[in-house]
């Protein structure tokens, strides 16, 4: 049996700030991409126990590079601008185990 419950975990920052300071989800894009990533992982049949998990989270502390996401256990950090980027992270990194170099921060 493996050491962790999931092979990989994708955390997408959904932090929002009303005071005008930069945050990953101020535009609402990160929330939209969270739902897309989770739906895509489920469609690929890789989301669930002993596979991968897509989670929302609060501030990851890299607001200036946002929106940001991180994949564990590898601790690979990403930024993204659209659904194509997020689908590529899900397919290449979560499913195939190959980090997406062009989106890494």
């Amino acid at each position: 049996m493996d050491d962790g419950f999931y092979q990989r975990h994708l955390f997408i920052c959904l932090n929002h700030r009303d005071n005008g300071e930069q945050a990953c989800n101020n535009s609402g894009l990160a929330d939209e991409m969270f739902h897309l990533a989770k739906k895509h992982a489920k469609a690929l049949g890789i989301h669930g126990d002993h596979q991968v998990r897509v989670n929302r989270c609060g501030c990851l502390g890299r607001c200036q590079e946002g929106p940001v996401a991180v994949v564990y256990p590898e601790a690979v950090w990403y930024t993204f601008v659209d659904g194509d980027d997020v689908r590529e992270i899900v397919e290449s990194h979560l499913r195939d185990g190959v980090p997406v170099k062009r989106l890494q921060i």
Side-chain angles (χ1 to χ4, degrees):
M1 181 165 214
D2 55 17
D3 294 334
F5 192 72
Y6 296 107
Q7 292 174 6
R8 289 187 182 84
H9 230 121
L10 172 64
F11 292 95
I12 299 176
C13 176
L14 298 186
N15 195 42
H16 175 84
R17 293 191 177 106
D18 291 326
N19 65 2
E21 290 181 41
Q22 187 166 346
C24 289
N25 197 37
N26 279 358
S27 71
L29 174 69
D31 186 57
E32 182 182 336
M33 294 301 102
F34 160 75
H35 292 289
L36 175 82
K38 192 167 188 172
K39 181 178 179 181
H40 194 52
K42 286 180 177 182
L44 292 172
I46 61 170
H47 193 272
D49 297 355
H50 306 289
Q51 296 182 80
V52 301
R53 175 85 182 188
V54 177
N55 272 97
R56 67 186 88 211
C57 67
C59 186
L60 290 168
R62 297 184 80 168
C63 306
Q64 301 300 71
E65 299 166 288
V68 299
V70 61
V71 174
Y72 285 107
E74 296 96 334
V76 175
W77 290 81
Y78 291 109
T79 190
F80 50 86
V81 298
D82 59 23
D84 290 338
D85 289 347
V86 170
R87 280 187 287 276
E88 186 175 357
I89 293 167
V90 171
E91 292 170 14
S92 183
H93 196 155
L94 296 185
R95 182 187 66 194
D96 301 336
V98 179
V100 182
K101 297 234 182 260
R102 71 178 189 84
L103 298 174
Q104 289 181 26
I105 53 174

